Amino acid sequence: MTNPNNISLNISHALKFIDSHALDIPTLTILGENGEILEGAAAPDIDKDTAINLYTTMRFIRLLDERMQAAQRQGRVSFYMQCLGEEAAITASAAALKPQDMIMAQYREQAALAYRGFTLEQFMNQLFSNEKDLGKGRQMPVHYGSNELHYLTISSPLGTQIPQATGYAYGQKLKHIDPATGELNSEIDNLTICYFGEGAASEGDFHAGLNMAAVHEAPVLFFARNNGYAISTPADEQFKGDGIASRGVGYGIKTIRVDGGDALAVFAATQAARKMAVENGEPILIESIAYRLGAHSTSDDPSGYRSKEEEAEFKGSCPIERFKKWLLKQGWLNEQEDEAEKDKIREDILAALKVAEKVQKPALEELVSDVYDEPIPALQKQYEELKEHIKQHPEAYPVTAGRIK
C-alpha cells in the first residue's frame, strides 16, 4: 500500500487519543553523587588523559566564572554569563567529539572552547574587547569564536545557530555522497554539534532546524541544555510536553535524555551519538537535564523568580565534585595537588585579567577594515561621519577620541 502521508499505517477501530506523556523517556545516569558507578550502569570507554583534561577544564571554568562574575560587579567588564552547574554537560560532550567537529554554541559553552585549547589570555582579550581580541572588539563579552578551534562565533539572537548548524552539517555530508547513487561513499569524518537552552527550543528556528535535519539526514548533534529556566521563565511555563527529548522523537530524530550533572553519562551519550551520526549520516538529539545554579547573566536577579530554598536544594549536587570523586577512586587524581593547583589558577586568572584590561582597544578603522575586501563607498562614508562625530564629542568617547587618525 502506498503511503504518501508518511505515517505509521496502524489502523484502529477504537476511538483513542494518545496521552501527552505516553512516551516514557528515561534519563541516562551512570555516576552516583559519591563517585561510584551505579548498579546496572557501565562506565564509558574513557582514558586517563581525557578524563583528567575533562576535569581540569571544568575546574578552570568554575574558577574563571567566579572571578569574572566579580569583575563585572567591580565594573571592569560590562557583562558576563556563568556555566555554573552545567560544567559537566558542556565539557564532557566536547570531550567526546573530534577536534575537527564544528561547534555552534549559544552563550554558556565556554567550557567546550576551553577544552579545545582556547587560552586564558584569549578569554581575557575577548572579555575586555581589546586589540588582541580575535573578534576585534566587535562582540559583547562571552561571545567567543575561533576558526582555529572550529568554534563558530556566537550570536546574541536566540536560536539562530540551530538552522545554521543543520545547513553546515548537511554541507559536511555532501562531500561524502556519491552523486550517481545518492548514498554515502565513505564515513563522514566530521560533524556539527549545536548547543542551545530549552528556552531557545521555543523559537521557530528550533523547529525549522530540526525538521530540516531530519528530512535531509544531516549529521548534526543537537545538544539541548534543559537547565530549568529561560532567563526568568520556568520550564513549566515554556512547554507542556515531556521536555525537549519528546520533540526529537516527534521529528523522527534519534533521541536520548541524559543527566547533565553526570560527566560520564554525558560523555557516553555524546560518544555514541557521534558514532551513529557519522556512520549513518543522521541527526541526533541529546537533552541534558541540569540546573542553572547561577543567574541567567550578570543582568539578571534570580531571586525575583525562584526561591533560596530551591537553589539550596540543587547546590548540594556539584557536577565537578561528583566527577572528582570518581577520579579519586580511579587513583587518577591527587587531592592535595588538586587544591594547590586551584590556588595557582586563581592567581593566573587575576594576573591575566590585570594585563588584558590595560591593553588598548582596537583602532576605530577595525570596524570596517574587513567587512568587505575594500570598504564600499557607503561604508566609507559612514566611517568618515563617525570619525567627525567623535571629534565633535570627545568627552563621550574617551578611549577612542585620542586614537583617531
Side-chain angles (χ1 to χ4, degrees), residues 187-395:
E187 183 177 296
I188 299 168
D189 52 9
N190 53 359
L191 48 67
T192 298
I193 187 168
C194 179
Y195 292 100
F196 53 91
E198 90 289 335
S202 297
E203 295 285 331
D205 281 345
F206 167 85
H207 302 282
L210 263 70
N211 189 56
M212 178 182 172
V215 171
H216 293 286
E217 299 180 333
V220 54
L221 303 186
F222 295 109
F223 196 97
R225 296 182 295 93
N226 186 341
N227 63 21
Y229 291 91
I231 309 184
S232 60
T233 307
D236 62 1
E237 293 181 18
Q238 296 177 57
F239 51 81
K240 192 71 174 175
D242 185 5
I244 308 304
S246 61
R247 303 185 199 179
V249 176
Y251 278 114
I253 295 174
K254 289 178 182 175
T255 299
I256 187 169
R257 177 178 287 159
V258 63
D259 178 354
D262 179 351
L264 290 184
V266 175
F267 184 86
T270 310
Q271 191 178 56
R274 186 188 189 282
K275 186 174 187 295
M276 287 189 292
V278 296
E279 288 181 353
N280 305 325
E282 63 178 339
I284 310 288
L285 173 64
I286 301 172
E287 181 183 20
S288 163
I289 306 300
Y291 186 80
R292 193 195 75 208
L293 288 173
H296 173 74
S297 73
T298 50
S299 302
D300 173 44
D301 178 10
S303 66
Y305 54 85
R306 66 188 192 190
S307 68
K308 293 295 182 183
E309 291 74 21
E310 177 183 310
E311 291 180 359
E313 180 183 347
F314 287 95
K315 278 182 179 176
S317 178
C318 174
I320 303 176
E321 286 299 313
R322 189 171 172 184
F323 190 58
K324 176 182 175 180
K325 290 174 182 177
W326 180 77
L327 289 174
L328 291 171
K329 290 179 185 295
Q330 310 311 303
W332 290 354
L333 189 69
N334 180 291
E335 193 156 19
Q336 287 71 36
E337 292 177 0
D338 180 51
E339 289 302 316
E341 186 64 21
K342 287 180 184 177
D343 292 336
K344 183 180 183 304
I345 294 169
R346 289 189 182 97
E347 293 174 3
D348 291 344
I349 290 172
L350 183 56
L353 184 156
K354 290 178 178 179
V355 170
E357 69 181 345
K358 293 177 182 176
V359 176
Q360 284 193 325
K361 300 300 182 186
L364 188 64
E365 59 264 25
E366 293 288 357
L367 278 172
V368 299
S369 61
D370 57 2
V371 177
Y372 298 93
D373 183 42
E374 293 289 338
I376 61 174
L379 191 59
Q380 188 64 40
K381 181 174 181 291
Q382 291 174 15
Y383 173 61
E384 296 299 332
E385 290 172 349
L386 176 61
K387 285 201 296 184
E388 288 304 313
H389 173 76
I390 293 173
K391 288 177 182 178
Q392 291 174 20
H393 306 280
E395 72 286 351

Side-chain angles (χ1 to χ4, degrees), residues 1 27 42 70 92 113 125 157 286 304 309-310:
M1 181 178 181
T27 301
L113 192 52
N125 291 333
I286 301 172
E309 291 74 21
E310 177 183 310

